Amino acid sequence: MSERSFMATKFIPVSCICNGSNLGSMSPRPHYPSMPRYPNGLSPKQNREDGSVLKVVFQVTGMTCSACATSVEKSVKRLPGIREATVDVVTNRAHVFFYPSSVTEESIREAIEDVGFQATWVQEETDIDKPIQVCRIRINGMTCTSCSSTVESALQALRGVQSSNVALATEEAEVYYDPKVVSYNQLLQTVEDSGFEAILISIGEDISKIDIEIQGIKTDHSMGTVTKSLRALPGVQDVDVFPQLNKISISYKPDTTGPRIFIEVIESTGSSHFKAMIYPQGRGRDSHRQQEIKQYFTYFLWSLIFTVPVFLTSMVLMYIPGIKRVLDAKVVNKLTIGEILRWELSTPVQFIIGRRFYIGSYKALRHGSPNMDVLVALGTNAAYFYSVYTLLRAALSRDFEGTDFFETSAMLITFILLGKYLEVLAKGKTSEAIAKLMDLAPDIATLLTLDEEGNVIREQEIDSRLMQKNDVIKIVPGAKVASDGLVIWGESHVNESMITGEAKPVTKRKGDTVIGGTVNENGVLHIKATSVGSESALSQIVRLVESAQMAKAPVQKFADRISKYFVPMVITLSISTWFAWFLAGDLHSYPHSWIPSSMDSFELALQFGISVVVIACPCALGLATPTAVMVGTGVGASQGVLIKGGQALESAHKVNCIVFDKTGTLTVGKPVVVNTRLLKEMLPREFYEIVAATEVNSEHPLAKAIIEYAKKLREDQEKPVWPEVQDFVSLTGQGVKAIVRNKEIIVGNKSLMLESNISIPMDAEEALAEAEGMAQTGIIVSIDREVAGVIAISDPLKPGAREVISILKSMKVKSIVVTGDNWGTANSIAKEVGIEAVIAEAKPEQKAEKVKDLQASGYTVAMVGDGINDSPALVAADVGMAIGAGTDIAIEAADIVLMKSNLEDVITAIDLSRRTFFRIRMNYMWALGYNVLGIPIAAGALFPSTGFRLPPWIAGAAMAASSVSVVCCSLLLKNYRRPKKLDNLGIQGIRIE
């Protein structure tokens, strides 16, 4: 947990978090430190209900290149409360979406000017009630980064679209948009207009969606009646109808309604003639991937059936005398049987099996963004139609004997389809992490019906997708927990390693929270479902990993820039190659002996040109980064390290300075009272009753430590009732004040006492000094403006913390402690773990300033904190790492979430990012190597000296192999193992009962 914030002197206050903080949602017995979903100062209500997102546009003067735009963008994104920021160097404008509760337009303008540019406000959307919604779309038909860039640009151009991100590797788009300005149907239509198939995956971050199949509906009127009944239900957001499938998709708020209600309404509407059930379907992306794999395999198989005879008749059977005589038999003039056979067999391959390349080429050229399909169509058409020309001329002429290239076009298509099949097969394996996470959810749940006294009167097995909020579910030993919930009966141990990575089973009893997808090991539990559907921890983890796999790393811009010019450049090179060889042959610039006996100089030049076209592969460049990011984020999720995308991965591999928070990061985060010195004549129980009453309104760990200690002094009461409190005030960074039993109580640090004109006696000073010397936190208690006692609180150091800092030093990573605790405690903890640089008594904004100072000194900084008071620093850092996560994992501030309470995962995150970027560099070497080396060879660079030339069908095979090799190189990341030094430490997860 975060330190009790920032002291101006040597004390920590007992409460620094106001009542409005987001801690109220924490479980009564928190096992994992939870983190805020929203920027500091923004309430969940604001963000969930009205969006509270504003947009401001600045005209930025002085930018000259993309590096300038990047520096402006980075400066703005470091501010707390920034939702999205994009800077366009062409229009010289910065578009910033922000939470007004956390940052102002003036702060954004100053951030731009801080990096050396002039910023002028241009436009502001002032509708604070404007909701910002997210829409995820599956896009079929993309082949390279040129395709994804086309779709992304088309979506971005729509009015009302905040930002769009189209991922080639996942074939999905994530669009943030204003539903008051643009509808999701318009987004789908825009994708369709760009030449690709669009399928809606989901709408909204906080809205659940379910598909229901209805049997028995025979008329449109009946379907309309059902739809009208569903729309009338409270909580139903939208109903989409698919009559041809007898399916309806319902978007709803799980707090208000649920799928069992929908089924009941549907079946009652039809006078018992309608039957409703969950629509049978696969797991979204996985089922689509399987369908794509099957489709490519079918295409390849049919292409192979036609191509093998073409290859045999042109390359093999021609050397068997008897068969050669048959194939060379003349039909008309010089037209032979073999040529007719090859024409007939290659035509279905070219126009039926290869139809997808024509469609893709047409769509790409229509939008002015030529892609891989254009290269394939150009190469195969050149070979096919030249062959048709030779056949027709041979049939019409008695003395013309040309050579056909039907085997070239057929084999090209076959090899490219084989490559695409292997590519989608390999790409399917890059997202196995998501499939494994989704498989954690059980298919069946046991629903309990309780009477008014809480006794079970009925048990019923239901599809787990039919669960609704507040359902009571029975979990038997060995079964998976069906949803996030609260234990209302029973006691057991639950294995949460599949979610948190922590191997040790966790004791669960009445009042404790459980996470859906975890495994109950022994006793029976009855849980009350608190989060179902998209709100569950498992769903949020899956969504976080999916978003991470879609997010582009900055290095991806390199491939995007190349892809814009790649295909036109290759076509130009191809035509130039053909013309150069043809001209050289026509002018007899090379010996006639170079020309193979089966062709003339024109045909030789044509083969060189075709080889150049088909060997160039923009797909490999487009897949180099996203496939590695997909595998890396998936591996991270399996290790308990949730990485929020390519930006975080790229920044993490450069980290050379880590700023650590203290409480909950270097320490366990479960403070306990270890000593009390009373300076007034009063009983400890009486003293702690007053202090506990003052602190009971605080959610801070130090306050909870005091309350827990006070409870032990009142063992006769299971739920003690504290004295009534009046005029409670929380002073951030100092402490709390209240009136208890008509006495003014002040609990906090030394600065609070001095500001309140309360003198601190020598005994209290000695107690404070003694506590600080033992790395403890001292709390001063004042009653009626007189110091009544000093409480010493200790937060033990995490096991292995010193070893982790030592390993970071060996990785050439500097470590710093920045804490709100007092100097004495901070220095003691830092000395114990081996950190030399310490900043103590720092407020949240001072932590962020320290991070920015380090960045200005040339460091790439990671901030490791608990995500509560550290949010500004987490946002300001190049990489924000939130250590520890409970059921609420949809955090805003951090770039990387360390699911376990282990410091060692900081090392795992950095090491994994370095390995991932090593793979990305390797991928670029493969992709660029094929093109940089392959194109000259295909153009005949080696032919004059060695006589070696690359036939077009071999060039096509090389083209296919380049994409496959890149994906396979990324897949090697699946074998990632964390550094052996960590295994030798044997550090275990920290758990506090």
Side-chain angles (χ1 to χ4, degrees):
M1 306 289 276
S2 169
E3 296 92 70
R4 169 163 310 231
S5 300
F6 5 106
M7 304 178 17
T9 63
K10 294 186 177 181
F11 276 77
I12 250 179
V14 175
S15 179
C16 70
I17 300 179
C18 305
N19 292 337
S21 79
N22 193 33
L23 293 175
S25 63
M26 291 177 66
S27 63
R29 298 170 54 84
H31 175 45
Y32 313 102
S34 88
M35 286 161 288
R37 294 169 65 103
Y38 312 100
N40 206 20
L42 185 64
S43 71
K45 186 177 187 299
Q46 284 176 308
N47 201 40
R48 282 180 180 271
E49 294 182 2
D50 58 32
S52 294
V53 176
L54 295 183
K55 176 181 178 180
V56 64
V57 180
F58 289 102
Q59 185 75 29
V60 184
T61 306
M63 295 192 299
T64 58
C65 63
S66 59
C68 301
T70 301
S71 64
V72 172
E73 191 173 301
K74 197 170 186 62
S75 177
V76 172
K77 285 183 175 179
R78 283 174 181 164
L79 294 172
I82 299 297
R83 179 68 181 83
E84 182 67 34
T86 56
V87 180
D88 188 349
V89 73
V90 177
T91 61
N92 287 321
R93 289 196 173 187
H95 300 256
V96 185
F97 299 88
F98 64 99
Y99 297 99
S101 302
S102 302
V103 67
T104 64
E105 295 92 328
E106 183 62 23
S107 300
I108 298 170
R109 188 187 64 78
E110 289 175 356
I112 296 173
E113 294 191 344
D114 284 345
V115 290
F117 303 99
Q118 184 68 34
T120 308
W121 175 82
V122 177
Q123 169 191 342
E124 182 182 4
E125 292 181 20
T126 56
D127 184 7
I128 198 164
D129 294 325
K130 182 177 294 183
I132 299 302
Q133 203 167 79
V134 62
C135 174
R136 291 181 60 239
I137 304 169
R138 179 171 295 112
I139 303 174
N140 296 336
M142 295 191 298
T143 57
C144 63
T145 51
S146 178
C147 302
S148 59
S149 297
T150 300
V151 178
E152 194 170 285
S153 299
L155 289 169
Q156 193 70 53
L158 284 176
R159 182 173 174 269
V161 171
Q162 267 197 16
S163 62
S164 64
N165 185 20
V166 180
L168 174 65
T170 59
E171 296 179 333
E172 291 179 10
E174 189 175 66
V175 187
Y176 287 89
Y177 69 103
D178 179 1
K180 293 182 180 179
V181 180
V182 61
S183 69
Y184 69 85
N185 283 320
Q186 288 175 278
L187 301 179
L188 295 174
Q189 188 59 48
T190 300
V191 176
E192 297 277 357
D193 291 344
S194 298
F196 304 95
E197 182 186 2
I199 303 170
L200 182 67
I201 299 176
S202 65
I203 310 171
E205 292 179 320
D206 300 308
I207 296 177
S208 294
K209 182 181 177 184
I210 193 164
D211 295 333
I212 295 178
E213 181 180 14
I214 309 176
Q215 297 177 354
I217 288 187
K218 298 180 180 179
T219 65
D220 292 341
H221 175 72
S222 298
M223 182 65 83
T225 303
V226 169
T227 304
K228 188 175 181 180
S229 300
L230 289 170
R231 290 185 190 276
L233 289 173
V236 172
Q237 298 290 305
D238 196 13
V239 179
D240 290 320
V241 182
F242 303 89
Q244 68 278 14
L245 301 174
N246 291 325
K247 182 180 82 169
I248 57 173
S249 293
I250 307 170
S251 300
Y252 64 98
K253 290 185 176 180
D255 284 340
T256 310
T257 187
R260 293 204 306 279
I261 295 175
F262 304 149
I263 289 176
E264 183 180 337
V265 167
I266 292 169
E267 294 183 345
S268 63
T269 301
S271 303
S272 302
H273 294 144
F274 300 157
K275 181 71 175 174
M277 65 192 73
I278 299 293
Y279 193 81
Q281 60 182 5
R283 289 285 196 177
R285 180 192 294 178
D286 185 57
S287 62
H288 165 69
R289 186 74 72 190
Q290 292 302 320
Q291 182 182 356
E292 189 179 25
I293 290 170
K294 183 179 179 181
Q295 186 181 60
Y296 271 114
F297 180 74
T298 303
Y299 284 156
F300 166 68
L301 202 59
W302 277 106
S303 183
L304 194 65
I305 290 171
F306 286 99
T307 301
V308 168
V310 174
F311 173 78
L312 291 176
T313 57
S314 63
M315 301 280 191
V316 178
L317 299 179
M318 296 299 291
Y319 297 98
I320 302 175
I323 299 176
K324 177 178 171 58
R325 234 183 347 262
V326 174
L327 294 175
D328 287 343
K330 303 294 189 294
V331 179
V332 179
N333 291 328
K334 297 291 184 177
L335 181 63
T336 65
I337 292 176
E339 289 173 331
I340 294 174
L341 280 175
R342 288 192 290 275
W343 187 12
E344 290 177 344
L345 290 168
S346 62
T347 299
V349 178
Q350 183 71 31
F351 297 107
I352 299 176
I353 299 170
R355 178 171 174 266
R356 62 179 305 280
F357 299 114
Y358 286 98
I359 295 172
S361 299
Y362 169 72
K363 291 177 179 178
L365 292 173
R366 191 180 69 180
H367 292 92
S369 56
N371 59 9
M372 187 203 78
D373 290 336
V374 173
L375 297 180
V376 175
L378 188 62
T380 56
N381 278 331
Y384 179 85
F385 284 107
Y386 177 75
S387 301
V388 171
Y389 162 75
T390 61
L391 258 69
L392 293 176
R393 190 171 174 187
L396 298 173
S397 173
R398 295 185 178 184
D399 55 1
F400 176 81
E401 287 191 37
T403 304
D404 67 86
F405 298 119
F406 286 121
E407 79 284 352
T408 296
S409 65
M411 290 174 71
L412 267 177
I413 290 174
T414 302
F415 274 112
I416 290 166
L417 289 174
L418 173 62
K420 293 299 290 183
Y421 166 69
L422 295 175
E423 181 186 319
V424 295
L425 197 66
K427 279 165 65 178
K429 296 182 183 297
T430 62
S431 55
E432 281 184 352
I434 290 180
K436 289 178 180 178
L437 283 171
M438 295 177 75
D439 287 341
L440 291 177
D443 296 324
I444 301 296
T446 303
L447 178 67
L448 300 180
T449 304
L450 307 180
D451 59 20
E452 293 180 357
E453 298 177 357
N455 299 315
V456 178
I457 58 176
R458 190 176 68 161
E459 292 186 10
Q460 178 187 4
E461 282 197 349
I462 62 171
D463 189 314
S464 62
R465 292 174 293 176
L466 291 174
M467 282 192 304
Q468 298 179 182
K469 201 166 185 178
N470 297 323
D471 282 345
V472 177
I473 307 295
K474 178 182 178 181
I475 313 295
V476 299
K480 291 180 179 178
V481 177
S483 75
D484 296 356
L486 197 67
V487 177
I488 60 172
W489 180 87
E491 185 172 337
S492 182
H493 288 84
V494 174
N495 186 342
E496 298 182 338
S497 60
M498 62 287 300
I499 300 292
T500 67
E502 184 176 334
K504 188 177 179 181
V506 183
T507 302
K508 299 292 181 180
R509 55 178 71 93
K510 185 177 180 180
D512 286 345
T513 56
V514 290
I515 306 173
T518 56
V519 178
N520 182 25
E521 294 204 338
N522 34 48
V524 177
L525 293 175
H526 292 177
I527 68 163
K528 183 178 182 180
T530 56
S531 299
V532 295
S534 63
E535 288 190 334
S536 68
L538 186 58
S539 295
Q540 292 185 43
I541 291 173
V542 169
R543 193 159 62 235
L544 183 62
V545 176
E546 285 180 334
S547 295
Q549 293 186 344
M550 289 190 64
K552 290 183 180 179
V555 72
Q556 177 70 22
K557 293 177 182 177
F558 170 71
D560 292 344
R561 283 195 298 269
I562 292 178
S563 67
K564 290 181 182 179
Y565 311 104
F566 188 86
V567 175
M569 182 186 71
V570 168
I571 293 173
T572 303
L573 283 174
S574 173
I575 294 173
S576 300
T577 299
W578 166 79
F579 184 73
W581 277 101
F582 172 69
L583 192 63
D586 199 46
L587 298 175
H588 305 290
S589 299
Y590 59 82
H592 190 269
S593 59
W594 286 10
I595 304 174
S597 58
S598 60
M599 62 180 72
D600 57 26
S601 61
F602 175 85
E603 292 167 346
L604 177 65
L606 183 64
Q607 285 222 343
F608 281 129
I610 294 173
S611 294
V612 170
V613 167
V614 297
I615 199 171
C617 183
C619 302
L621 276 172
L623 293 170
T625 297
T627 53
V629 170
M630 284 180 69
V631 180
T633 51
V635 168
S638 67
Q639 300 267 349
V641 178
L642 298 183
I643 304 169
K644 292 179 72 174
Q647 173 76 55
L649 265 175
E650 181 162 347
S651 298
H653 95 281
K654 302 174 184 175
V655 165
N656 53 12
C657 179
I658 298 185
V659 176
F660 287 96
D661 179 31
K662 184 182 74 67
T663 306
T665 303
L666 292 174
T667 62
V668 171
K670 184 70 176 179
V672 292
V673 175
V674 294
N675 191 25
T676 308
R677 181 177 291 190
L678 296 179
L679 304 179
K680 291 186 66 174
E681 290 187 5
M682 58 190 309
L683 295 173
R685 173 170 171 164
E686 180 187 358
F687 173 79
Y688 271 100
E689 275 189 351
I690 294 173
V691 178
T694 308
E695 290 284 17
V696 77
N697 291 310
S698 173
E699 289 285 350
H700 196 277
L702 296 185
K704 290 185 175 183
I706 292 174
I707 295 167
E708 288 299 319
Y709 188 78
K711 285 180 181 179
K712 293 178 182 178
L713 299 178
R714 296 178 53 164
E715 293 178 352
D716 55 321
Q717 296 186 30
E718 183 180 347
K719 293 184 178 179
V721 178
W722 307 111
E724 185 179 350
V725 177
Q726 297 176 339
D727 302 332
F728 174 83
V729 178
S730 176
L731 302 169
T732 302
Q734 294 183 311
V736 294
K737 295 181 179 180
I739 303 297
V740 182
R741 292 176 178 168
N742 296 320
K743 296 179 180 179
E744 183 187 11
I745 311 298
I746 302 176
V747 184
N749 61 13
K750 190 173 181 179
S751 68
L752 179 57
M753 300 300 158
L754 295 176
E755 287 181 14
S756 303
N757 295 320
I758 298 172
S759 60
I760 302 174
M762 188 59 66
D763 289 351
E765 294 277 15
E766 290 176 357
L768 292 173
E770 182 181 343
E772 291 172 12
M774 300 174 67
Q776 297 168 358
T777 299
I779 305 297
I780 304 175
V781 179
S782 164
I783 301 176
D784 283 338
R785 313 191 69 76
E786 184 180 345
V787 175
V790 176
I791 302 172
I793 299 177
S794 175
D795 187 6
L797 199 66
K798 281 186 177 176
R802 185 177 181 86
E803 289 84 353
V804 167
I805 300 301
S806 176
I807 293 173
L808 286 172
K809 284 182 181 178
S810 69
M811 296 170 67
K812 302 188 184 307
V813 177
K814 180 180 180 179
S815 298
I816 298 175
V817 175
V818 178
T819 173
D821 209 336
N822 63 75
W823 281 97
T825 304
N827 283 324
S828 297
I829 291 293
K831 184 177 180 181
E832 195 171 347
V833 297
I835 296 177
E836 296 176 1
V838 180
I839 304 294
E841 300 177 7
K843 294 182 179 181
E845 59 272 19
Q846 291 171 331
K847 293 183 180 182
E849 286 300 324
K850 179 59 181 175
V851 168
K852 291 178 181 179
D853 289 344
L854 290 166
Q855 290 169 333
S857 300
Y859 287 104
T860 300
V861 182
M863 172 68 194
V864 185
D866 64 11
I868 298 175
N869 291 321
D870 302 313
S871 294
L874 287 169
V875 174
D878 296 284
V879 183
M881 297 187 188
I883 188 161
T887 54
D888 183 8
I889 53 88
I891 60 168
E892 291 286 346
D895 301 303
I896 298 176
V897 182
L898 310 179
M899 292 287 287
K900 298 174 282 185
S901 292
N902 288 341
L903 272 178
E904 61 187 84
D905 285 339
V906 174
I907 296 172
T908 302
I910 294 174
D911 184 67
L912 176 60
S913 69
R914 290 180 178 181
R915 300 280 188 89
T916 302
F917 259 77
F918 172 75
R919 288 292 163 193
I920 290 174
R921 292 189 187 101
M922 290 288 292
N923 286 346
Y924 277 122
M925 286 178 62
W926 277 108
L928 291 172
Y930 269 101
N931 290 300
V932 172
L933 296 177
I935 290 176
I937 293 173
L942 300 180
F943 188 64
S945 59
T946 64
F948 176 79
R949 64 185 177 89
L950 205 61
W953 63 273
I954 295 179
M959 178 191 195
S962 63
S963 295
V964 176
S965 61
V966 163
V967 178
C968 289
C969 183
S970 294
L971 283 174
L972 290 175
L973 266 175
K974 293 179 70 175
N975 300 322
Y976 171 81
R977 296 292 181 270
R978 64 181 194 167
K980 290 184 178 179
K981 292 178 182 178
L982 295 181
D983 295 329
N984 295 334
L985 288 178
I987 304 172
Q988 299 299 321
I990 307 300
R991 177 171 173 270
I992 301 294
E993 284 286 350

